[in-house]
mmCIF file of all heavy atoms in Angstrom:
data_model
loop_
_atom_site.group_PDB
_atom_site.id
_atom_site.type_symbol
_atom_site.label_atom_id
_atom_site.label_comp_id
_atom_site.label_asym_id
_atom_site.label_seq_id
_atom_site.Cartn_x
_atom_site.Cartn_y
_atom_site.Cartn_z
ATOM 1 N N GLY A 442 -40.169 18.584 16.712
ATOM 2 C CA GLY A 442 -41.231 17.845 16.051
ATOM 3 C C GLY A 442 -42.063 18.626 15.073
ATOM 4 O O GLY A 442 -43.269 18.377 14.942
ATOM 5 N N ASN A 443 -41.481 19.596 14.353
ATOM 6 C CA ASN A 443 -42.251 20.359 13.375
ATOM 7 C C ASN A 443 -41.351 20.764 12.215
ATOM 8 O O ASN A 443 -40.219 20.319 12.103
ATOM 9 C CB ASN A 443 -42.892 21.584 14.038
ATOM 10 C CG ASN A 443 -41.860 22.460 14.746
ATOM 11 O OD1 ASN A 443 -40.737 22.631 14.285
ATOM 12 N ND2 ASN A 443 -42.248 23.016 15.886
ATOM 13 N N ARG A 444 -41.881 21.638 11.355
ATOM 14 C CA ARG A 444 -41.146 22.059 10.165
ATOM 15 C C ARG A 444 -40.371 23.355 10.389
ATOM 16 O O ARG A 444 -39.864 23.946 9.445
ATOM 17 C CB ARG A 444 -42.127 22.265 9.002
ATOM 18 C CG ARG A 444 -42.842 20.993 8.567
ATOM 19 C CD ARG A 444 -41.887 20.019 7.923
ATOM 20 N NE ARG A 444 -42.574 18.861 7.382
ATOM 21 C CZ ARG A 444 -41.982 17.872 6.731
ATOM 22 N NH1 ARG A 444 -40.689 17.909 6.554
ATOM 23 N NH2 ARG A 444 -42.664 16.852 6.276
ATOM 24 N N LEU A 445 -40.277 23.798 11.630
ATOM 25 C CA LEU A 445 -39.535 25.023 11.912
ATOM 26 C C LEU A 445 -38.045 24.722 12.069
ATOM 27 O O LEU A 445 -37.653 23.777 12.754
ATOM 28 C CB LEU A 445 -40.050 25.686 13.183
ATOM 29 C CG LEU A 445 -41.415 26.371 13.097
ATOM 30 C CD1 LEU A 445 -41.795 26.928 14.456
ATOM 31 C CD2 LEU A 445 -41.397 27.485 12.046
ATOM 32 N N ASP A 446 -37.222 25.546 11.445
ATOM 33 C CA ASP A 446 -35.774 25.483 11.621
ATOM 34 C C ASP A 446 -35.337 26.565 12.588
ATOM 35 O O ASP A 446 -35.962 27.623 12.697
ATOM 36 C CB ASP A 446 -35.066 25.707 10.281
ATOM 37 C CG ASP A 446 -34.781 24.410 9.557
ATOM 38 O OD1 ASP A 446 -35.157 23.345 10.081
ATOM 39 O OD2 ASP A 446 -34.192 24.463 8.472
ATOM 40 N N ARG A 447 -34.207 26.293 13.234
ATOM 41 C CA ARG A 447 -33.529 27.327 14.011
ATOM 42 C C ARG A 447 -32.752 28.163 12.991
ATOM 43 O O ARG A 447 -31.644 27.808 12.608
ATOM 44 C CB ARG A 447 -32.597 26.701 15.030
ATOM 45 C CG ARG A 447 -33.293 25.744 16.002
ATOM 46 C CD ARG A 447 -32.257 24.873 16.714
ATOM 47 N NE ARG A 447 -32.860 23.904 17.592
ATOM 48 C CZ ARG A 447 -33.340 22.714 17.190
ATOM 49 N NH1 ARG A 447 -33.276 22.369 15.911
ATOM 50 N NH2 ARG A 447 -33.859 21.879 18.057
ATOM 51 N N GLY A 448 -33.339 29.244 12.541
ATOM 52 C CA GLY A 448 -32.757 30.023 11.446
ATOM 53 C C GLY A 448 -31.817 31.103 11.955
ATOM 54 O O GLY A 448 -32.216 31.979 12.725
ATOM 55 N N HIS A 449 -30.545 31.030 11.528
ATOM 56 C CA HIS A 449 -29.598 32.097 11.859
ATOM 57 C C HIS A 449 -30.046 33.392 11.182
ATOM 58 O O HIS A 449 -30.317 33.407 9.981
ATOM 59 C CB HIS A 449 -28.203 31.746 11.347
ATOM 60 C CG HIS A 449 -27.473 30.735 12.174
ATOM 61 N ND1 HIS A 449 -27.757 29.384 12.131
ATOM 62 C CD2 HIS A 449 -26.459 30.884 13.054
ATOM 63 C CE1 HIS A 449 -26.942 28.745 12.956
ATOM 64 N NE2 HIS A 449 -26.147 29.627 13.522
ATOM 65 N N ILE A 450 -30.127 34.467 11.930
ATOM 66 C CA ILE A 450 -30.372 35.774 11.315
ATOM 67 C C ILE A 450 -29.055 36.285 10.720
ATOM 68 O O ILE A 450 -28.983 36.606 9.536
ATOM 69 C CB ILE A 450 -30.967 36.756 12.338
ATOM 70 C CG1 ILE A 450 -32.335 36.243 12.829
ATOM 71 C CG2 ILE A 450 -31.113 38.144 11.697
ATOM 72 C CD1 ILE A 450 -32.985 37.117 13.864
ATOM 73 N N ALA A 451 -28.007 36.370 11.532
ATOM 74 C CA ALA A 451 -26.666 36.623 10.991
ATOM 75 C C ALA A 451 -26.101 35.283 10.549
ATOM 76 O O ALA A 451 -25.949 34.369 11.351
ATOM 77 C CB ALA A 451 -25.768 37.262 12.039
ATOM 78 N N ARG A 452 -25.816 35.153 9.267
ATOM 79 C CA ARG A 452 -25.345 33.887 8.710
ATOM 80 C C ARG A 452 -24.052 33.447 9.382
ATOM 81 O O ARG A 452 -23.100 34.202 9.513
ATOM 82 C CB ARG A 452 -25.091 34.060 7.208
ATOM 83 C CG ARG A 452 -25.889 33.105 6.368
ATOM 84 C CD ARG A 452 -25.570 33.047 4.914
ATOM 85 N NE ARG A 452 -24.593 33.938 4.328
ATOM 86 C CZ ARG A 452 -24.052 33.693 3.141
ATOM 87 N NH1 ARG A 452 -24.348 32.616 2.466
ATOM 88 N NH2 ARG A 452 -23.201 34.535 2.610
ATOM 89 N N ARG A 453 -24.026 32.186 9.789
ATOM 90 C CA ARG A 453 -22.830 31.647 10.457
ATOM 91 C C ARG A 453 -21.578 31.843 9.599
ATOM 92 O O ARG A 453 -20.528 32.276 10.102
ATOM 93 C CB ARG A 453 -23.045 30.160 10.757
ATOM 94 C CG ARG A 453 -21.905 29.493 11.474
ATOM 95 C CD ARG A 453 -22.254 28.049 11.775
ATOM 96 N NE ARG A 453 -22.133 27.204 10.609
ATOM 97 C CZ ARG A 453 -21.035 26.499 10.314
ATOM 98 N NH1 ARG A 453 -19.977 26.596 11.087
ATOM 99 N NH2 ARG A 453 -21.002 25.716 9.252
ATOM 100 N N ALA A 454 -21.662 31.516 8.306
ATOM 101 C CA ALA A 454 -20.492 31.623 7.433
ATOM 102 C C ALA A 454 -19.999 33.058 7.311
ATOM 103 O O ALA A 454 -18.813 33.296 7.100
ATOM 104 C CB ALA A 454 -20.825 31.064 6.049
ATOM 105 N N ASP A 455 -20.918 34.049 7.449
ATOM 106 C CA ASP A 455 -20.518 35.449 7.370
ATOM 107 C C ASP A 455 -19.638 35.870 8.541
ATOM 108 O O ASP A 455 -18.841 36.797 8.422
ATOM 109 C CB ASP A 455 -21.753 36.345 7.385
ATOM 110 C CG ASP A 455 -22.543 36.295 6.091
ATOM 111 O OD1 ASP A 455 -22.082 35.645 5.139
ATOM 112 O OD2 ASP A 455 -23.629 36.902 6.055
ATOM 113 N N LEU A 456 -19.838 35.226 9.679
ATOM 114 C CA LEU A 456 -19.215 35.680 10.921
ATOM 115 C C LEU A 456 -17.849 35.055 11.171
ATOM 116 O O LEU A 456 -17.065 35.569 11.968
ATOM 117 C CB LEU A 456 -20.137 35.368 12.104
ATOM 118 C CG LEU A 456 -21.541 35.984 12.024
ATOM 119 C CD1 LEU A 456 -22.406 35.482 13.170
ATOM 120 C CD2 LEU A 456 -21.467 37.510 12.035
ATOM 121 N N CYS A 457 -17.565 33.917 10.495
ATOM 122 C CA CYS A 457 -16.329 33.166 10.775
ATOM 123 C C CYS A 457 -15.180 33.719 9.939
ATOM 124 O O CYS A 457 -14.840 33.176 8.890
ATOM 125 C CB CYS A 457 -16.537 31.674 10.495
ATOM 126 S SG CYS A 457 -17.792 30.927 11.538
ATOM 127 N N TRP A 458 -14.578 34.798 10.410
ATOM 128 C CA TRP A 458 -13.433 35.385 9.712
ATOM 129 C C TRP A 458 -12.461 35.949 10.734
ATOM 130 O O TRP A 458 -12.766 36.095 11.901
ATOM 131 C CB TRP A 458 -13.876 36.457 8.708
ATOM 132 C CG TRP A 458 -14.765 37.553 9.228
ATOM 133 C CD1 TRP A 458 -16.118 37.606 9.190
ATOM 134 C CD2 TRP A 458 -14.356 38.777 9.869
ATOM 135 N NE1 TRP A 458 -16.589 38.766 9.750
ATOM 136 C CE2 TRP A 458 -15.517 39.505 10.163
ATOM 137 C CE3 TRP A 458 -13.119 39.329 10.198
ATOM 138 C CZ2 TRP A 458 -15.482 40.755 10.795
ATOM 139 C CZ3 TRP A 458 -13.063 40.569 10.817
ATOM 140 C CH2 TRP A 458 -14.243 41.275 11.112
ATOM 141 N N GLY A 459 -11.248 36.251 10.236
ATOM 142 C CA GLY A 459 -10.216 36.783 11.119
ATOM 143 C C GLY A 459 -9.309 35.692 11.653
ATOM 144 O O GLY A 459 -9.301 34.564 11.158
ATOM 145 N N PRO A 460 -8.504 35.993 12.678
ATOM 146 C CA PRO A 460 -7.657 34.968 13.303
ATOM 147 C C PRO A 460 -8.510 33.794 13.782
ATOM 148 O O PRO A 460 -9.688 33.957 14.120
ATOM 149 C CB PRO A 460 -7.024 35.719 14.480
ATOM 150 C CG PRO A 460 -7.081 37.160 14.094
ATOM 151 C CD PRO A 460 -8.323 37.326 13.279
ATOM 152 N N VAL A 461 -7.915 32.612 13.835
ATOM 153 C CA VAL A 461 -8.683 31.402 14.116
ATOM 154 C C VAL A 461 -9.435 31.501 15.441
ATOM 155 O O VAL A 461 -10.608 31.139 15.528
ATOM 156 C CB VAL A 461 -7.763 30.165 14.096
ATOM 157 C CG1 VAL A 461 -8.518 28.929 14.595
ATOM 158 C CG2 VAL A 461 -7.238 29.912 12.696
ATOM 159 N N ALA A 462 -8.772 31.982 16.498
ATOM 160 C CA ALA A 462 -9.436 32.063 17.804
ATOM 161 C C ALA A 462 -10.642 33.009 17.745
ATOM 162 O O ALA A 462 -11.692 32.731 18.326
ATOM 163 C CB ALA A 462 -8.444 32.537 18.867
ATOM 164 N N GLU A 463 -10.498 34.105 17.021
ATOM 165 C CA GLU A 463 -11.598 35.064 16.883
ATOM 166 C C GLU A 463 -12.731 34.466 16.058
ATOM 167 O O GLU A 463 -13.915 34.599 16.409
ATOM 168 C CB GLU A 463 -11.052 36.326 16.219
ATOM 169 C CG GLU A 463 -12.044 37.453 16.066
ATOM 170 C CD GLU A 463 -11.391 38.685 15.460
ATOM 171 O OE1 GLU A 463 -10.274 39.042 15.902
ATOM 172 O OE2 GLU A 463 -11.981 39.280 14.541
ATOM 173 N N ALA A 464 -12.382 33.797 14.957
ATOM 174 C CA ALA A 464 -13.396 33.161 14.120
ATOM 175 C C ALA A 464 -14.113 32.051 14.875
ATOM 176 O O ALA A 464 -15.327 31.866 14.737
ATOM 177 C CB ALA A 464 -12.748 32.605 12.853
ATOM 178 N N ARG A 465 -13.367 31.296 15.671
ATOM 179 C CA ARG A 465 -13.976 30.224 16.460
ATOM 180 C C ARG A 465 -15.002 30.773 17.435
ATOM 181 O O ARG A 465 -16.096 30.216 17.599
ATOM 182 C CB ARG A 465 -12.887 29.453 17.212
ATOM 183 C CG ARG A 465 -13.425 28.208 17.920
ATOM 184 C CD ARG A 465 -12.505 27.735 19.029
ATOM 185 N NE ARG A 465 -12.548 28.627 20.164
ATOM 186 C CZ ARG A 465 -13.479 28.584 21.122
ATOM 187 N NH1 ARG A 465 -14.460 27.706 21.050
ATOM 188 N NH2 ARG A 465 -13.454 29.431 22.115
ATOM 189 N N GLN A 466 -14.673 31.896 18.073
ATOM 190 C CA GLN A 466 -15.617 32.484 19.021
ATOM 191 C C GLN A 466 -16.845 33.045 18.307
ATOM 192 O O GLN A 466 -17.971 32.912 18.801
ATOM 193 C CB GLN A 466 -14.934 33.597 19.813
ATOM 194 C CG GLN A 466 -15.827 34.199 20.890
ATOM 195 C CD GLN A 466 -15.057 35.154 21.763
ATOM 196 O OE1 GLN A 466 -14.217 34.744 22.557
ATOM 197 N NE2 GLN A 466 -15.326 36.438 21.601
ATOM 198 N N ALA A 467 -16.647 33.652 17.122
ATOM 199 C CA ALA A 467 -17.788 34.151 16.347
ATOM 200 C C ALA A 467 -18.690 33.001 15.935
ATOM 201 O O ALA A 467 -19.926 33.122 15.971
ATOM 202 C CB ALA A 467 -17.286 34.903 15.116
ATOM 203 N N ASN A 468 -18.095 31.891 15.559
ATOM 204 C CA ASN A 468 -18.860 30.702 15.199
ATOM 205 C C ASN A 468 -19.713 30.239 16.375
ATOM 206 O O ASN A 468 -20.907 29.958 16.238
ATOM 207 C CB ASN A 468 -17.891 29.601 14.762
ATOM 208 C CG ASN A 468 -18.597 28.355 14.283
ATOM 209 O OD1 ASN A 468 -19.521 28.411 13.488
ATOM 210 N ND2 ASN A 468 -18.171 27.205 14.771
ATOM 211 N N GLN A 469 -19.109 30.168 17.539
ATOM 212 C CA GLN A 469 -19.838 29.748 18.741
ATOM 213 C C GLN A 469 -20.945 30.748 19.082
ATOM 214 O O GLN A 469 -22.081 30.352 19.386
ATOM 215 C CB GLN A 469 -18.860 29.635 19.908
ATOM 216 C CG GLN A 469 -19.514 29.245 21.231
ATOM 217 C CD GLN A 469 -18.471 29.036 22.329
ATOM 218 O OE1 GLN A 469 -17.457 28.397 22.111
ATOM 219 N NE2 GLN A 469 -18.727 29.604 23.494
#
Side-chain angles (χ1 to χ4, degrees):
N443 55 37
R444 296 292 186 178
L445 287 178
D446 268 2
R447 302 164 183 83
H449 283 76
I450 297 178
R452 238 189 356 163
R453 181 177 77 94
D455 288 355
L456 302 174
C457 298
W458 53 265
V461 172
E463 183 177 315
R465 187 200 72 83
Q466 184 172 289
N468 184 48
Q469 178 175 315

